[in-house]
Amino acid sequence: QVQLVESGGGLVQAGGSLRLSCAASRRTFSNDYMGWFRQAPGKEREFVARINWSGGSIYYADSVKGRFTISGDAAKNTVYLQMNSLKPEDTGIYYCAASVLKGSNSWYAGYWGQGTQVTVSS
């Protein structure tokens, strides 16, 4: 089992920035895929971004491309999500995930963190 602990959420005005961190207790695989998902109130959880521990295989949801940047520090087993130019529609609970894979129509993860709240005010 792997434990994922997110931090860095909070309240920010539209146009502002936040940096989320996710500390993993261990790696499930040496080059596992780590990622972020989010869930807005009343909506289903959706994929945001993914990266592997080598820093490659990066994917972003279309809604965050050009504004969010995912990165990782393999030595610290920590993944980051830098969020710039935030919009009110970015509001939600952000979840860190491990073993993130892309299916035919959606993204899946094998392990989840507890989530951190991000609120963007207009």
Side-chain angles (χ1 to χ4, degrees), residues 1 4 8 13 15 24 35 54 56 59 64 77 81 86-87 89 97 121:
Q1 191 68 286
L4 303 172
Q13 288 189 332
S54 297
Y59 289 86
V64 306
N77 283 355
L81 186 68
L86 282 161
K87 305 175 182 179
E89 51 263 45
S121 62

Side-chain angles (χ1 to χ4, degrees), residues 1 3 10 14-15 24 43 45-46 54 59 66-67 73 81 85-86 92-93 96 112 120 122:
Q1 191 68 286
Q3 307 297 322
K43 295 187 177 181
R45 187 154 49 186
E46 64 176 2
S54 297
Y59 289 86
R67 300 188 298 122
D73 186 334
L81 186 68
S85 301
L86 282 161
I93 301 174
C96 178
W112 298 93
V120 184
S122 57

Side-chain angles (χ1 to χ4, degrees), residues 110-121:
Y111 302 89
W112 298 93
Q114 294 297 309
T116 185
Q117 177 70 46
V118 171
T119 303
V120 184
S121 62

Side-chain angles (χ1 to χ4, degrees), residues 33-34 41 67 84:
Y33 298 104
M34 302 295 295
R67 300 188 298 122
N84 298 328

Side-chain angles (χ1 to χ4, degrees), residues 6 30 37 80 103 118:
E6 303 98 334
S30 61
F37 291 70
Y80 306 96
V118 171

Side-chain angles (χ1 to χ4, degrees), residues 2-95:
V2 60
Q3 307 297 322
L4 303 172
V5 180
E6 303 98 334
S7 61
L11 173 64
V12 64
Q13 288 189 332
S17 299
L18 282 175
R19 188 193 194 203
L20 305 183
S21 299
C22 170
S25 59
R26 65 175 184 85
R27 295 192 204 176
T28 49
F29 304 100
S30 61
N31 202 25
D32 197 10
Y33 298 104
M34 302 295 295
W36 292 92
F37 291 70
R38 67 186 181 187
Q39 186 167 19
K43 295 187 177 181
E44 293 186 354
R45 187 154 49 186
E46 64 176 2
F47 169 79
V48 175
R50 187 193 82 170
I51 191 171
N52 66 19
W53 284 118
S54 297
S57 192
I58 294 177
Y59 289 86
Y60 294 101
D62 288 341
S63 58
V64 306
K65 281 180 181 177
R67 300 188 298 122
F68 290 11
T69 302
I70 189 170
S71 62
D73 186 334
K76 297 181 178 179
N77 283 355
T78 301
V79 177
Y80 306 96
L81 186 68
Q82 177 66 44
M83 305 185 294
N84 298 328
S85 301
L86 282 161
K87 305 175 182 179
E89 51 263 45
D90 294 317
T91 293
I93 301 174
Y94 282 68
Y95 297 92

